């Protein structure tokens, strides 16, 4: 049994290649706001390895004064109110 073929499999391969290789930081969080995935560029922005980011929250990497200002925007993004954060 080989890798799946077809348009959906191709799209998945493209997404994974872009996610891993882009210079732009990309992260995904779960409903509780914890990182479930991030690419190397995102982790590098935080000065961490990908494995150190997964399972943590943005507030753990942000100065408390800055997080107070950013939390509302983060919550709006999680709720679908903005398309990026």
């Amino acid at each position: 049994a080989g890798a799946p073929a077809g348009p959906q499999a191709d799209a998945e391969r493209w997404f994974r290649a872009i996610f891993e290789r882009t210079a732009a930081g990309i992260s995904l969080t779960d409903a509780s706001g914890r990182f479930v995935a991030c690419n190397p560029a995102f982790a590098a922005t935080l000065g961490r390895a990908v494995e150190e980011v997964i399972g943590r929250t943005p507030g753990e990497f942000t100065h408390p004064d800055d997080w107070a200002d950013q939390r509302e925007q983060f919550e709006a993004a999680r709720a679908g109110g903005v398309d990026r954060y």
Side-chain angles (χ1 to χ4, degrees), residues 8 14 20 24 33 39 43 56-57 65 67 70 75 82:
Q8 188 169 357
W14 275 103
E20 292 297 324
N39 68 352
R56 297 176 73 183
T57 65
D65 294 342
W67 184 238
Q70 294 179 19
E75 295 298 334
V82 294

Side-chain angles (χ1 to χ4, degrees), residues 54-83:
I54 304 306
R56 297 176 73 183
T57 65
E60 294 179 62
F61 298 104
T62 309
H63 188 279
D65 294 342
D66 294 332
W67 184 238
D69 293 336
Q70 294 179 19
R71 185 180 185 121
E72 185 176 324
Q73 184 180 6
F74 175 73
E75 295 298 334
R78 282 185 46 223
V82 294
D83 61 355

Side-chain angles (χ1 to χ4, degrees), residues 29-34 36 74-75 78:
T29 61
D30 64 14
S32 72
R34 294 194 176 281
V36 294
F74 175 73
E75 295 298 334
R78 282 185 46 223

Side-chain angles (χ1 to χ4, degrees), residues 22-28 35 37-48 50 53 58 61 85:
T22 186
I26 302 171
S27 65
L28 302 171
F35 293 111
C38 75
N39 68 352
F42 184 84
T45 301
L46 298 175
R48 307 292 177 121
V50 169
V53 177
F61 298 104
Y85 164 73

